[in-house]
Amino acid sequence: MGGKGIGGAVLGVAAIPVMVVVAVSGASPTPPAAPGGGLNSAGIPANLVPLIQAAGTVCPGITAPDIAAQLKAESNFNPNATSSVGAQGIAQFMPGTWKTWGQDYDHNGTNSPLDPGDAIPAQAHFMCALYAQVSTLLKTGSVKGDPNDLAWAAYNAGLGAVAGAGGVPQNGQTPAYIATIRKYLALFTLPGGGLAAGASLAQTVLAYAWPTNQGQDHLAQMPQYAAAVKAAEGSGHFYAHQIGEVPVGRPEGDHCSATVSLIATTAVDPTYNNSGLTAQGAGFVPVQEAWMAAHWQALGSASSLNLSQLRPGDVGISNGGGLTHVWMYVGSVPGFAGNFVEGSYGYPGHVGFAPQARQSSTVLYAGHPDAVYYRKK
């Protein structure tokens, strides 16, 4: 935080109260102006990677690479860092700011800015609130600039200073702070916009799917998912049902088969539906079912299974009675509210939704009585 109190009077500018942003299921948060890539964890202490990945799912405007780059700039990932003016911990919270944003996020009995399990989630929630506020100021024309730069500036110098300056305060310190974060952001962002093949299933799910069920009218994709789909298509992969087929008002790859294909090829089986992904009709559920029948192990019908028989990475698919759908069982992923991940294309009577969590106490999906499950051999 550069040693400055956040939300207080900074550089002679009156403070603007910081509003608390609460994620509500069914809401449609404003996506960032440009999607970011997945997290490159090289150079990040291994114990911090899951915390940073989870922090990158709090809101779409602040990604895991954003969080990592800011932590690097603030403390070089040192959980015990302190400043001469009293900023503490890996995210350099001032005591007054910690009173507002700090809590025992990791449920270990302590509430401390020196505990990364508390400080990193607090950083994410605070940054998301600042991002929302500067986005509002941008819409009203009160400030100019990139929303992430403005949010970082508010974290460093105070929201009042940003509002008073009409953008990033030109005080010497804050522009240098943002430049440093941007430098590290390039290091911590994977090229091509997606996670590297071989990423864990938990990491992939948190990066590519909303951690709560946003509802059937939710259209905004996770920024990492959107970037990964775009990168995959640029390399010759094909996620639509037909060439050029994109539902009106919806982004490419926004359906169930693209969701499962992207997550499966990243974290479960790099050969998943390999021939289909490079051909017309790759997004057609029967194409995936034929591939799994040939290459994976059939577990049986949903009606013959229970949750205890499934393993993370198992894929359920329905191709009967005119109902086509595919989804993945992911088990228990910290920070993810469901035991399944799914997306939907949208069809009459069903608006559709971007990749997100789906909670179920039964394997048998409502409306998909002919579902069958498959597992990588």
Short mmCIF file of all heavy atoms in Angstrom, two decimals, residues 75-115:
data_model
loop_
_atom_site.label_atom_id
_atom_site.label_comp_id
_atom_site.label_asym_id
_atom_site.label_seq_id
_atom_site.Cartn_x
_atom_site.Cartn_y
_atom_site.Cartn_z
N SER A 75 5.28 -6.71 -1.25
CA SER A 75 6.09 -7.33 -0.19
C SER A 75 7.08 -8.38 -0.69
O SER A 75 7.77 -8.99 0.14
CB SER A 75 5.17 -8.00 0.82
OG SER A 75 4.48 -9.10 0.20
N ASN A 76 7.13 -8.61 -2.01
CA ASN A 76 7.94 -9.71 -2.54
C ASN A 76 7.53 -11.05 -1.91
O ASN A 76 8.35 -11.90 -1.65
CB ASN A 76 9.44 -9.45 -2.32
CG ASN A 76 10.31 -10.34 -3.18
OD1 ASN A 76 9.91 -10.79 -4.26
ND2 ASN A 76 11.52 -10.64 -2.71
N PHE A 77 6.21 -11.18 -1.65
CA PHE A 77 5.61 -12.39 -1.09
C PHE A 77 6.08 -12.68 0.34
O PHE A 77 6.01 -13.83 0.80
CB PHE A 77 5.88 -13.62 -1.97
CG PHE A 77 5.34 -13.50 -3.37
CD1 PHE A 77 6.19 -13.55 -4.47
CD2 PHE A 77 3.99 -13.33 -3.60
CE1 PHE A 77 5.70 -13.44 -5.77
CE2 PHE A 77 3.48 -13.21 -4.89
CZ PHE A 77 4.33 -13.26 -5.97
N ASN A 78 6.51 -11.66 1.05
CA ASN A 78 6.98 -11.83 2.43
C ASN A 78 5.81 -11.61 3.39
O ASN A 78 5.33 -10.49 3.53
CB ASN A 78 8.09 -10.82 2.73
CG ASN A 78 8.61 -10.95 4.16
OD1 ASN A 78 8.18 -11.82 4.93
ND2 ASN A 78 9.54 -10.08 4.52
N PRO A 79 5.33 -12.66 4.06
CA PRO A 79 4.16 -12.51 4.95
C PRO A 79 4.45 -11.67 6.19
O PRO A 79 3.52 -11.22 6.85
CB PRO A 79 3.81 -13.95 5.32
CG PRO A 79 5.09 -14.70 5.17
CD PRO A 79 5.81 -14.05 4.02
N ASN A 80 5.73 -11.46 6.50
CA ASN A 80 6.10 -10.71 7.70
C ASN A 80 6.59 -9.31 7.39
O ASN A 80 7.16 -8.64 8.25
CB ASN A 80 7.17 -11.48 8.49
CG ASN A 80 6.69 -12.84 8.94
OD1 ASN A 80 5.63 -12.96 9.54
ND2 ASN A 80 7.46 -13.87 8.65
N ALA A 81 6.39 -8.86 6.16
CA ALA A 81 6.89 -7.55 5.76
C ALA A 81 6.21 -6.44 6.56
O ALA A 81 5.01 -6.52 6.87
CB ALA A 81 6.65 -7.34 4.27
N THR A 82 6.97 -5.41 6.91
CA THR A 82 6.43 -4.23 7.57
C THR A 82 7.05 -2.99 6.92
O THR A 82 8.11 -3.06 6.30
CB THR A 82 6.75 -4.21 9.07
OG1 THR A 82 8.17 -4.26 9.26
CG2 THR A 82 6.11 -5.39 9.79
N SER A 83 6.37 -1.87 7.04
CA SER A 83 6.90 -0.62 6.50
C SER A 83 7.14 0.36 7.63
O SER A 83 6.66 0.17 8.75
CB SER A 83 5.93 -0.01 5.49
OG SER A 83 4.85 0.62 6.15
N SER A 84 7.86 1.43 7.33
CA SER A 84 8.20 2.42 8.35
C SER A 84 6.98 3.17 8.86
O SER A 84 7.04 3.76 9.95
CB SER A 84 9.22 3.42 7.78
OG SER A 84 8.68 4.09 6.65
N VAL A 85 5.88 3.14 8.10
CA VAL A 85 4.68 3.85 8.55
C VAL A 85 3.62 2.91 9.10
O VAL A 85 2.50 3.34 9.38
CB VAL A 85 4.10 4.69 7.39
CG1 VAL A 85 5.05 5.78 6.98
CG2 VAL A 85 3.72 3.81 6.21
N GLY A 86 3.96 1.62 9.22
CA GLY A 86 3.05 0.70 9.89
C GLY A 86 2.29 -0.27 9.03
O GLY A 86 1.48 -1.05 9.54
N ALA A 87 2.50 -0.29 7.69
CA ALA A 87 1.85 -1.28 6.84
C ALA A 87 2.39 -2.66 7.17
O ALA A 87 3.59 -2.82 7.42
CB ALA A 87 2.08 -0.96 5.37
N GLN A 88 1.51 -3.66 7.16
CA GLN A 88 1.88 -4.99 7.64
C GLN A 88 1.52 -6.10 6.67
O GLN A 88 0.50 -6.05 5.99
CB GLN A 88 1.18 -5.27 8.98
CG GLN A 88 1.56 -4.36 10.11
CD GLN A 88 0.79 -4.71 11.38
OE1 GLN A 88 -0.43 -4.85 11.36
NE2 GLN A 88 1.50 -4.86 12.48
N GLY A 89 2.39 -7.09 6.62
CA GLY A 89 2.07 -8.35 5.97
C GLY A 89 2.30 -8.38 4.48
O GLY A 89 2.78 -7.43 3.86
N ILE A 90 1.93 -9.52 3.91
CA ILE A 90 2.19 -9.78 2.50
C ILE A 90 1.46 -8.79 1.59
O ILE A 90 1.94 -8.47 0.50
CB ILE A 90 1.76 -11.24 2.17
CG1 ILE A 90 2.31 -11.67 0.81
CG2 ILE A 90 0.25 -11.41 2.24
CD1 ILE A 90 2.16 -13.14 0.54
N ALA A 91 0.30 -8.28 2.03
CA ALA A 91 -0.47 -7.33 1.23
C ALA A 91 -0.34 -5.90 1.75
O ALA A 91 -1.01 -5.00 1.25
CB ALA A 91 -1.94 -7.73 1.19
N GLN A 92 0.49 -5.70 2.78
CA GLN A 92 0.80 -4.37 3.32
C GLN A 92 -0.44 -3.56 3.71
O GLN A 92 -0.65 -2.44 3.26
CB GLN A 92 1.67 -3.60 2.34
CG GLN A 92 3.10 -4.11 2.24
CD GLN A 92 3.92 -3.86 3.51
OE1 GLN A 92 4.46 -2.79 3.69
NE2 GLN A 92 4.00 -4.86 4.38
N PHE A 93 -1.27 -4.17 4.56
CA PHE A 93 -2.44 -3.47 5.07
C PHE A 93 -2.04 -2.52 6.19
O PHE A 93 -1.27 -2.88 7.08
CB PHE A 93 -3.47 -4.47 5.61
CG PHE A 93 -4.41 -4.99 4.58
CD1 PHE A 93 -4.15 -6.19 3.92
CD2 PHE A 93 -5.56 -4.30 4.25
CE1 PHE A 93 -5.03 -6.68 2.97
CE2 PHE A 93 -6.45 -4.78 3.30
CZ PHE A 93 -6.18 -5.97 2.66
N MET A 94 -2.59 -1.31 6.16
CA MET A 94 -2.49 -0.40 7.30
C MET A 94 -3.49 -0.87 8.36
O MET A 94 -4.55 -1.43 8.03
CB MET A 94 -2.79 1.03 6.87
CG MET A 94 -1.75 1.62 5.92
SD MET A 94 -0.13 1.85 6.70
CE MET A 94 -0.48 3.27 7.76
N PRO A 95 -3.17 -0.65 9.65
CA PRO A 95 -4.06 -1.15 10.71
C PRO A 95 -5.51 -0.70 10.56
O PRO A 95 -6.44 -1.49 10.76
CB PRO A 95 -3.41 -0.57 11.99
CG PRO A 95 -1.96 -0.47 11.64
CD PRO A 95 -1.93 -0.07 10.19
N GLY A 96 -5.73 0.57 10.20
CA GLY A 96 -7.09 1.05 10.07
C GLY A 96 -7.85 0.37 8.95
O GLY A 96 -9.04 0.07 9.07
N THR A 97 -7.16 0.10 7.85
CA THR A 97 -7.79 -0.58 6.72
C THR A 97 -8.08 -2.04 7.06
O THR A 97 -9.11 -2.59 6.66
CB THR A 97 -6.90 -0.49 5.47
OG1 THR A 97 -6.48 0.85 5.29
CG2 THR A 97 -7.64 -0.96 4.24
N TRP A 98 -7.17 -2.65 7.82
CA TRP A 98 -7.39 -4.05 8.21
C TRP A 98 -8.63 -4.20 9.08
O TRP A 98 -9.34 -5.22 8.99
CB TRP A 98 -6.17 -4.60 8.94
CG TRP A 98 -6.31 -6.07 9.24
CD1 TRP A 98 -6.61 -6.65 10.43
CD2 TRP A 98 -6.22 -7.14 8.29
NE1 TRP A 98 -6.70 -8.01 10.30
CE2 TRP A 98 -6.46 -8.34 8.99
CE3 TRP A 98 -5.94 -7.20 6.93
CZ2 TRP A 98 -6.44 -9.58 8.37
CZ3 TRP A 98 -5.92 -8.44 6.31
CH2 TRP A 98 -6.17 -9.62 7.03
N LYS A 99 -8.94 -3.19 9.89
CA LYS A 99 -10.14 -3.27 10.73
C LYS A 99 -11.39 -3.41 9.88
O LYS A 99 -12.36 -4.04 10.29
CB LYS A 99 -10.23 -2.03 11.62
CG LYS A 99 -9.21 -2.00 12.75
CD LYS A 99 -9.40 -0.76 13.61
CE LYS A 99 -8.38 -0.73 14.74
NZ LYS A 99 -8.53 0.49 15.60
N THR A 100 -11.35 -2.82 8.68
CA THR A 100 -12.51 -2.90 7.79
C THR A 100 -12.54 -4.18 6.99
O THR A 100 -13.59 -4.81 6.84
CB THR A 100 -12.51 -1.71 6.81
OG1 THR A 100 -12.56 -0.49 7.56
CG2 THR A 100 -13.69 -1.78 5.85
N TRP A 101 -11.39 -4.62 6.48
CA TRP A 101 -11.35 -5.71 5.51
C TRP A 101 -10.82 -7.04 6.05
O TRP A 101 -11.02 -8.08 5.45
CB TRP A 101 -10.52 -5.29 4.29
CG TRP A 101 -11.17 -4.18 3.57
CD1 TRP A 101 -10.89 -2.84 3.66
CD2 TRP A 101 -12.27 -4.28 2.67
NE1 TRP A 101 -11.74 -2.11 2.87
CE2 TRP A 101 -12.60 -2.96 2.24
CE3 TRP A 101 -13.01 -5.35 2.17
CZ2 TRP A 101 -13.63 -2.70 1.35
CZ3 TRP A 101 -14.04 -5.08 1.26
CH2 TRP A 101 -14.33 -3.77 0.87
N GLY A 102 -10.14 -6.98 7.16
CA GLY A 102 -9.53 -8.20 7.70
C GLY A 102 -10.53 -9.09 8.42
O GLY A 102 -11.42 -8.61 9.11
N GLN A 103 -10.37 -10.38 8.22
CA GLN A 103 -11.14 -11.38 8.97
C GLN A 103 -10.41 -12.71 8.90
O GLN A 103 -9.45 -12.87 8.14
CB GLN A 103 -12.56 -11.50 8.45
CG GLN A 103 -12.67 -11.93 7.00
CD GLN A 103 -14.12 -12.09 6.56
OE1 GLN A 103 -14.73 -13.15 6.77
NE2 GLN A 103 -14.68 -11.05 5.94
N ASP A 104 -10.86 -13.65 9.68
CA ASP A 104 -10.22 -14.98 9.72
C ASP A 104 -10.72 -15.82 8.55
O ASP A 104 -11.51 -16.74 8.71
CB ASP A 104 -10.53 -15.65 11.06
CG ASP A 104 -9.83 -17.00 11.22
OD1 ASP A 104 -8.89 -17.27 10.44
OD2 ASP A 104 -10.22 -17.75 12.12
N TYR A 105 -10.23 -15.50 7.36
CA TYR A 105 -10.70 -16.19 6.15
C TYR A 105 -10.35 -17.68 6.16
O TYR A 105 -11.08 -18.49 5.60
CB TYR A 105 -10.10 -15.54 4.91
CG TYR A 105 -10.77 -14.26 4.48
CD1 TYR A 105 -10.25 -13.02 4.84
CD2 TYR A 105 -11.94 -14.28 3.72
CE1 TYR A 105 -10.87 -11.84 4.44
CE2 TYR A 105 -12.56 -13.11 3.32
CZ TYR A 105 -12.02 -11.89 3.68
OH TYR A 105 -12.63 -10.73 3.30
N ASP A 106 -9.19 -18.03 6.72
CA ASP A 106 -8.78 -19.44 6.68
C ASP A 106 -9.23 -20.22 7.90
O ASP A 106 -8.87 -21.38 8.07
CB ASP A 106 -7.27 -19.56 6.48
CG ASP A 106 -6.47 -18.85 7.56
OD1 ASP A 106 -7.09 -18.34 8.54
OD2 ASP A 106 -5.23 -18.79 7.44
N HIS A 107 -10.00 -19.56 8.78
CA HIS A 107 -10.62 -20.24 9.93
C HIS A 107 -9.61 -20.99 10.80
O HIS A 107 -9.88 -22.10 11.27
CB HIS A 107 -11.72 -21.20 9.45
CG HIS A 107 -12.73 -20.58 8.56
ND1 HIS A 107 -13.63 -19.62 8.99
CD2 HIS A 107 -12.97 -20.75 7.23
CE1 HIS A 107 -14.39 -19.24 7.98
NE2 HIS A 107 -14.00 -19.90 6.90
N ASN A 108 -8.46 -20.35 11.03
CA ASN A 108 -7.46 -20.98 11.90
C ASN A 108 -7.42 -20.35 13.28
O ASN A 108 -6.51 -20.62 14.06
CB ASN A 108 -6.07 -20.93 11.25
CG ASN A 108 -5.54 -19.51 11.12
OD1 ASN A 108 -6.25 -18.54 11.42
ND2 ASN A 108 -4.31 -19.39 10.67
N GLY A 109 -8.40 -19.51 13.57
CA GLY A 109 -8.49 -18.91 14.90
C GLY A 109 -7.79 -17.58 15.05
O GLY A 109 -7.85 -16.98 16.12
N THR A 110 -7.13 -17.10 13.99
CA THR A 110 -6.47 -15.80 14.05
C THR A 110 -7.01 -14.91 12.94
O THR A 110 -7.46 -15.38 11.90
CB THR A 110 -4.94 -15.93 13.88
OG1 THR A 110 -4.65 -16.43 12.57
CG2 THR A 110 -4.35 -16.86 14.93
N ASN A 111 -6.96 -13.61 13.18
CA ASN A 111 -7.36 -12.60 12.21
C ASN A 111 -6.21 -11.63 12.10
O ASN A 111 -6.09 -10.69 12.90
CB ASN A 111 -8.65 -11.92 12.67
CG ASN A 111 -9.05 -10.75 11.79
OD1 ASN A 111 -8.46 -10.51 10.74
ND2 ASN A 111 -10.05 -10.00 12.23
N SER A 112 -5.32 -11.86 11.14
CA SER A 112 -4.07 -11.11 11.13
C SER A 112 -3.61 -10.80 9.71
O SER A 112 -3.64 -11.67 8.84
CB SER A 112 -2.97 -11.91 11.84
OG SER A 112 -1.70 -11.29 11.67
N PRO A 113 -3.12 -9.56 9.47
CA PRO A 113 -2.54 -9.24 8.16
C PRO A 113 -1.23 -9.96 7.92
O PRO A 113 -0.73 -9.98 6.79
CB PRO A 113 -2.35 -7.72 8.23
CG PRO A 113 -2.20 -7.42 9.68
CD PRO A 113 -3.11 -8.40 10.37
N LEU A 114 -0.67 -10.58 8.97
CA LEU A 114 0.56 -11.35 8.84
C LEU A 114 0.28 -12.80 8.44
O LEU A 114 1.22 -13.56 8.21
CB LEU A 114 1.36 -11.30 10.14
CG LEU A 114 1.75 -9.91 10.64
CD1 LEU A 114 2.50 -10.00 11.95
CD2 LEU A 114 2.59 -9.19 9.59
N ASP A 115 -0.99 -13.17 8.37
CA ASP A 115 -1.39 -14.52 7.96
C ASP A 115 -1.84 -14.45 6.50
O ASP A 115 -2.88 -13.86 6.19
CB ASP A 115 -2.54 -15.01 8.84
CG ASP A 115 -3.03 -16.39 8.47
OD1 ASP A 115 -2.54 -16.97 7.46
OD2 ASP A 115 -3.92 -16.91 9.18
#
